[in-house]
Amino acid sequence: MANATIQVKHIAFREWLILSCLLLALTAALSFSNVLSRFDMVLYDHFMQINSHEARDDILIVAIDDFSLSELGKWPWPRQRHAELLNKINAAQPLAIGLDMVLPEEEGNNTDGSPSGDQALANAIAQSNRVVLPVVSASAGKGLTATLPLPLLAASARQIGHISIELDPDGVLRSVFLREGIKGEWWPHFALALKDVGQNSAAGTEKYLPGERRPAGLHNTPQPGIWQRDYQMHIPFYGDKGHFRTIPYVSVLRGEVPADYFKGKYVLVGTTAVGMADSFPTPVSDTEGSIPGVEINANILASLLDERSIHFAPLWQVAFYNVAILSLALMAYQMLSPRKALITTGVLFLLAITGSLLFMRYLGVWLPSSSALVSLLIAYPIWSWRRLEAAIQYLGEEFSLLEKEPHLLPEFVDDEQKQDAALTDTLENSINAMRMAANRVRDLRQFISDSLASLPDATLVTTTDGNVLLSNQAARAYFAGLGMPKVNDALLPYLFAQMSPPQANDQTSFSWWDILDLKHTANMKLGIEVRDPKLQDVLIKSAPCYNADKVLVGWIVSIINITAIRAAERSRDETLHFISHDMRAPQASILALLEMQKETATALPTDEFMARIEKASRITLGLADNFVQLARAESQDYRFDEVDFQNVLMDATEEMWSLAKSKNIRIKTDIPDAEFPARIDRSLVTRVLTNLLSNAIKYSPRDTTITCRLSLEQHLADAEIVCSIIDQGYGIPRAEQNKLFQRFQRFKTNEQPKNDGVGLGMVFVKAVLDRHHAKIDFTSAPNEGSTFNLRFPASLV
């Protein structure tokens, strides 16, 4: 069985190891490839929507919106108007102004003959010295070229920045390049140029420039017709469309905005009107699906000012993250139950998603978790299938072996169950076989428990190290009587710690741990005799028990109470001693007298000879009578009758009247005028009373009084008859009072005469009282007399 268990563990571990390697390899492959990139981007977009931030107060958008178009007329507007706008904004001294309008051509003269507004706009740009103009890439048929602002305007601008947009394969804008150029000429991004102007720093000297660098061959070597890019920055969008504060173009132009409203702020001027703005879909776009370019530039500017960006983690970090998540799930599959493993899988699924979100929000790192999510979705079903398959296979083999084992208990399988078994599938057959095996185990356990409980002796079943696994009622009751109510799970040597240890046969010291030692098996099968804290004699035996592979699995320990046996042996020894001494002495005296009587020289007078023979014979007869009475008192032959106890007392006093008369002792009775009903064996109780009266007469001097008193004491639930016998005798010494009810104990003070008693009378009294559930107590002092109180249960209707 142990080998089978080990084999199952190896099979399960091998299955788990193979599956783990395959799943981990799949997860790593998915992490290094772009197979799940679309799914990763879906998660990325949702996280970006959750990861919104409050818009900066120092970024304003002057929007060419539908309201302004309705107020100022259709586009394009005269550049003189733009010059007026710039002059109003310049008056408030903003940090930087981004004019997000492509102005590559001259405006031309107005219809009224007035000069074009190019010069006025150039003058306004130059006067401000804070304006950034855009440059865009355009296709010229032989590759891309840069479309720069009108040279007049470009010469007046503080900086020129590109506004090129990088769309992902799914058409969503998630990143921009902070530097782009052609033929060795580079331009910063429009938002980066605004930041440089606002912070009064030259282009290319930025201390914070996020984004992934392009390979050196793509950004160092100028190539004709090829647009070059570097520093790809993933935009940490602050929010959806309208997130940044926007002011209509016409409101600023009319002076409706306070003069200092733009002071110390970044101002972006661009189109937001429907159908006119260069809008693009972004991760944070709502149902409208796009955000105007000027607002995208505002998001980029805010992230540069806040030094926030999204860094895509290297592929090895992505693979490590996903593999680590899956590894935790695989360990759970090996260590936990299926239900807990399923819960763990769900928790890890949420943890993978939450981890990616937290990395993005607090560290600005994008760790895509789709590889781990896909692996988790397929890992648990595959593992459950493999484990179930292996379990069914193993159970089938084990059940086949189990069927070949002899059945200890009878089993009943009807024909209907056999027919149902033939119609069920493999899994259900395995379940039915498991149910049958479990029933067998339960029946066998119940059989063992019932057998253990039915044992009359205290029995314990322990592990190899002495920890108690099972105990029967007798064992629990025995140890509870010793003040140890908890037996199961206790350590066996500690249960026996308070008992007197025996001495080993080889005179070596004994330890209770020897009970659990195979070296002492032979001795422990015979048992060791000890005395427990209650001074009971017990015999302790132990035997090893083995499993089917003959491996030691525990011990069976029995505790046999031999107190009664040892008491009987002591009684036998005392009786033999008595017969060999006390009863032999008078018989020997008779034989000696007969031998002396044969010789004339030693012969005694006939009267003296007969008197001595009579005395010895009476002593022998009295001893024999005492033994017979004691034997009857200790037997089961009792005849209980309903009697009036005062009649029994009167019979006993009448019987002792002549003995008391011989010593001139008066027996006085003090009995109230009432009935004293009791259920007793009249003859034996009468003998008890005569024994006590006889002792009172024997151990009292002449001319004294013995008082016999009866009373009925009523209690809450019952009543008892109290019979007191009070003498004026020699009393019992205090040192010997605890021996009063022991066999062959005789007491004598210096003042009292010699007595021929053998010490069985009080033993007889105690035996009879115990069978009647009665009690006896006494008080006695030397030369002050004794008082014996007998307490019998009253038989009241």
Side-chain angles (χ1 to χ4, degrees):
M1 183 61 69
N3 294 333
T5 303
I6 294 174
Q7 183 180 4
V8 172
K9 290 182 178 179
H10 287 170
I11 293 174
F13 180 75
R14 184 169 64 248
E15 290 277 343
W16 175 82
L17 188 60
I18 294 173
L19 181 62
S20 298
C21 293
L22 293 176
L23 288 174
L24 291 174
L26 173 64
T27 304
L30 292 176
S31 300
F32 281 105
S33 66
N34 292 323
V35 177
L36 301 176
S37 60
R38 294 293 296 270
F39 183 66
D40 285 332
M41 290 300 99
V42 171
L43 287 178
Y44 179 92
D45 294 347
H46 282 86
F47 291 167
M48 190 63 68
Q49 295 172 10
I50 299 173
N51 193 28
S52 62
H53 286 75
E54 186 177 354
R56 289 178 62 98
D57 293 334
D58 57 352
I59 296 179
L60 297 175
I61 296 176
V62 176
I64 302 173
D65 54 5
D66 293 327
F67 174 70
S68 298
L69 288 174
S70 64
E71 292 292 322
L72 299 177
K74 64 179 182 179
W75 188 265
W77 293 334
R79 292 179 183 176
Q80 177 66 38
R81 186 172 296 167
H82 299 324
E84 294 176 7
L85 178 75
L86 287 178
N87 289 331
K88 289 184 178 295
I89 297 175
N90 285 332
Q93 297 182 348
L95 290 176
I97 302 174
L99 199 59
D100 190 6
M101 289 179 278
V102 180
L103 304 170
E105 300 174 352
E106 295 181 357
E107 183 181 41
N109 295 328
N110 297 322
T111 56
D112 57 356
S114 59
S116 67
D118 292 337
Q119 186 61 49
L121 181 58
N123 293 338
I125 293 174
Q127 182 179 2
S128 171
N129 198 30
R130 298 182 180 88
V131 177
V132 176
L133 294 178
V135 59
V136 295
S137 60
S139 177
K142 296 182 179 180
L144 296 176
T145 60
T147 301
L148 295 169
L150 187 68
L152 176 64
L153 301 179
S156 303
R158 176 75 173 268
Q159 279 200 39
I160 295 176
H162 76 84
I163 56 173
S164 299
I165 295 299
E166 180 69 15
L167 297 178
D168 288 342
D170 58 354
V172 178
L173 172 64
R174 297 185 181 90
S175 65
V176 294
F177 287 91
L178 294 181
R179 293 195 182 279
E180 294 188 6
I182 190 171
K183 297 180 181 181
E185 185 176 4
W186 292 85
W187 293 280
H189 189 273
F190 188 74
L192 179 60
L194 282 172
K195 176 190 174 187
D196 292 340
V197 173
Q199 295 180 350
N200 199 24
S201 60
T205 62
E206 298 87 359
K207 295 181 180 179
Y208 175 74
L209 193 61
E212 299 175 8
R213 297 298 307 273
R214 305 284 282 173
L218 297 180
H219 64 77
N220 288 336
T221 304
Q223 299 181 27
I226 295 180
W227 192 268
Q228 295 174 299
R229 294 172 173 176
D230 198 8
Y231 291 100
Q232 185 179 14
M233 171 188 172
H234 296 275
I235 308 169
F237 286 91
Y238 281 66
D240 196 5
K241 179 180 179 181
H243 192 66
F244 289 87
R245 284 190 296 172
T246 302
I247 304 171
Y249 185 104
V250 66
S251 298
V252 178
L253 191 63
R254 290 174 178 174
E256 297 173 357
V257 179
D260 59 349
Y261 193 73
F262 300 101
K263 184 177 180 60
K265 292 181 174 59
Y266 294 89
V267 181
L268 286 82
V269 181
T271 58
T272 62
V274 177
M276 180 179 171
D278 51 343
S279 300
F280 302 94
T282 66
V284 296
S285 299
D286 57 12
T287 54
E288 295 181 4
S290 62
I291 296 180
V294 66
E295 292 195 39
I296 295 174
N297 289 328
N299 278 276
I300 300 171
L301 175 59
S303 62
L304 290 173
L305 292 174
D306 290 336
E307 296 187 355
R308 291 181 61 246
S309 65
I310 303 297
H311 299 279
F312 275 42
L315 292 180
W316 71 267
Q317 293 182 3
V318 175
F320 178 81
Y321 176 73
N322 289 277
V323 166
I325 294 292
L326 181 62
S327 299
L328 293 175
L330 293 173
M331 286 189 289
Y333 298 161
Q334 180 68 6
M335 300 170 62
L336 302 178
S337 65
R339 180 174 62 87
K340 292 182 179 179
L342 178 60
I343 295 174
T344 303
T345 302
V347 171
L348 290 174
F349 193 91
L350 297 177
L351 180 63
I353 298 176
T354 305
S356 296
L357 175 61
L358 295 178
F359 271 102
M360 173 184 282
R361 183 174 183 85
Y362 296 104
L363 298 180
V365 176
W366 169 236
L367 270 175
S369 57
S370 59
S371 301
L373 299 181
V374 171
S375 298
L376 288 174
L377 288 175
I378 65 176
Y380 184 80
I382 293 178
W383 168 244
S384 299
W385 161 65
R386 286 306 308 155
R387 182 158 57 177
L388 181 61
E389 185 73 21
I392 292 176
Q393 180 180 357
Y394 169 72
L395 290 177
E397 296 173 357
E398 287 298 314
F399 292 145
S400 298
L401 296 176
L402 184 62
E403 285 297 327
K404 299 177 182 179
E405 293 288 334
H407 298 170
L408 299 179
L409 300 175
E411 296 180 358
F412 303 96
V413 181
D414 55 23
D415 295 336
E416 184 178 353
Q417 289 178 331
K418 292 181 179 179
Q419 184 177 2
D420 292 341
L423 298 177
T424 55
D425 60 10
T426 303
L427 176 59
E428 190 168 352
N429 283 333
S430 299
I431 293 175
N432 292 332
M434 170 62 78
R435 184 182 298 110
M436 183 179 296
N439 289 335
R440 288 179 185 173
V441 173
R442 282 193 292 267
D443 293 342
L444 184 59
R445 179 180 176 84
Q446 186 64 40
F447 174 75
I448 294 174
S449 298
D450 293 343
S451 301
L452 184 65
S454 64
L455 294 176
D457 299 322
T459 305
L460 306 172
V461 179
T462 75
T463 60
T464 54
D465 56 359
N467 192 45
V468 178
L469 295 177
L470 299 174
S471 60
N472 62 358
Q473 181 60 35
R476 293 191 291 271
Y478 173 76
F479 284 104
L482 299 181
M484 291 179 283
K486 185 173 178 57
V487 178
N488 289 356
D489 296 329
L491 204 56
L492 187 65
Y494 295 154
L495 292 176
F496 295 151
Q498 298 181 5
M499 296 186 180
S500 60
Q503 290 294 327
N505 295 333
D506 55 359
Q507 301 301 320
T508 58
S509 60
F510 175 84
S511 172
W512 288 112
W513 292 100
D514 294 344
I515 299 178
L516 310 174
D517 192 344
L518 290 174
K519 297 179 182 179
H520 300 272
T521 302
N523 292 334
M524 292 310 303
K525 284 184 178 180
L526 298 175
I528 57 172
E529 184 176 340
V530 296
R531 181 162 288 187
D532 65 16
K534 286 192 171 183
L535 302 180
Q536 300 179 104
D537 295 309
V538 294
L539 185 67
I540 299 176
K541 295 182 178 182
S542 70
C545 53
Y546 302 89
N547 63 7
D549 296 326
K550 304 301 181 183
V551 176
L552 180 67
V553 294
W555 295 83
I556 299 177
V557 180
S558 60
I559 305 157
I560 306 169
N561 192 330
I562 58 174
T563 304
I565 296 175
R566 292 295 178 258
E569 290 176 352
R570 287 191 290 270
S571 175
R572 179 198 62 191
D573 294 340
E574 291 171 352
T575 302
L576 290 176
H577 174 75
F578 168 74
I579 293 174
S580 64
H581 183 269
D582 292 76
M583 291 195 69
R584 186 172 178 273
Q587 299 298 322
S589 298
I590 293 174
L591 292 175
L593 287 172
L594 291 174
E595 290 293 331
M596 290 174 60
Q597 201 66 20
K598 291 178 182 180
E599 300 293 335
T600 306
T602 58
L604 298 174
T606 302
D607 293 341
E608 182 180 356
F609 172 74
M610 296 302 293
R612 291 192 177 190
I613 290 293
E614 180 185 5
K615 180 179 180 181
S617 298
R618 289 186 180 279
I619 291 174
T620 303
L621 183 61
L623 292 174
D625 184 57
N626 285 337
F627 263 108
V628 171
Q629 292 296 331
L630 180 59
R632 184 189 172 193
E634 293 177 344
S635 71
Q636 305 296 323
D637 188 18
Y638 277 64
R639 297 180 179 86
F640 293 93
D641 297 308
E642 294 285 343
V643 298
D644 191 338
F645 200 89
Q646 61 180 328
N647 296 332
V648 180
L649 180 59
M650 295 304 297
D651 290 345
T653 56
E654 288 293 334
E655 187 175 341
M656 289 293 103
W657 181 85
S658 58
L659 181 60
K661 190 65 175 177
S662 65
K663 295 183 67 174
N664 199 25
I665 294 177
R666 179 190 175 196
I667 299 178
K668 177 184 176 182
T669 57
D670 183 6
I671 303 175
D673 187 11
E675 292 185 355
F676 299 88
R679 182 174 176 79
I680 58 176
D681 187 315
R682 182 163 185 164
S683 62
L684 288 177
V685 174
T686 303
R687 182 61 183 266
V688 167
L689 297 176
T690 57
N691 277 5
L692 292 175
L693 289 171
S694 175
N695 287 342
I697 295 170
K698 290 178 182 178
Y699 296 104
S700 296
R702 299 176 65 83
D703 303 321
T704 56
T705 300
I706 297 175
T707 303
C708 298
R709 182 177 298 155
L710 273 182
S711 62
L712 185 65
E713 294 184 359
Q714 187 73 41
H715 302 294
L716 292 176
D718 54 12
E720 62 181 9
I721 299 169
V722 181
C723 177
S724 302
I725 299 177
I726 307 166
D727 63 44
Q728 297 174 335
Y730 304 109
I732 305 172
R734 291 185 180 277
E736 298 180 348
Q737 289 182 5
N738 59 344
K739 303 177 183 178
L740 181 61
F741 298 103
Q742 297 180 11
R743 293 172 180 261
F744 311 116
Q745 298 294 328
R746 288 170 284 192
F747 311 104
K748 182 179 181 301
T749 61
N750 295 330
E751 294 78 5
Q752 71 183 64
K754 183 179 178 181
N755 192 286
D756 294 330
V758 293
L760 293 177
M762 296 306 294
V763 178
F764 169 81
V765 169
K766 187 66 167 63
V768 174
L769 293 180
D770 288 342
R771 288 299 305 276
H772 284 79
H773 302 289
K775 300 176 183 178
I776 182 172
D777 59 74
F778 67 94
T779 57
S780 182
N783 301 320
E784 294 183 7
S786 301
T787 299
F788 285 86
N789 300 311
L790 307 181
R791 302 178 184 273
F792 286 84
S795 180
L796 300 177
V797 179

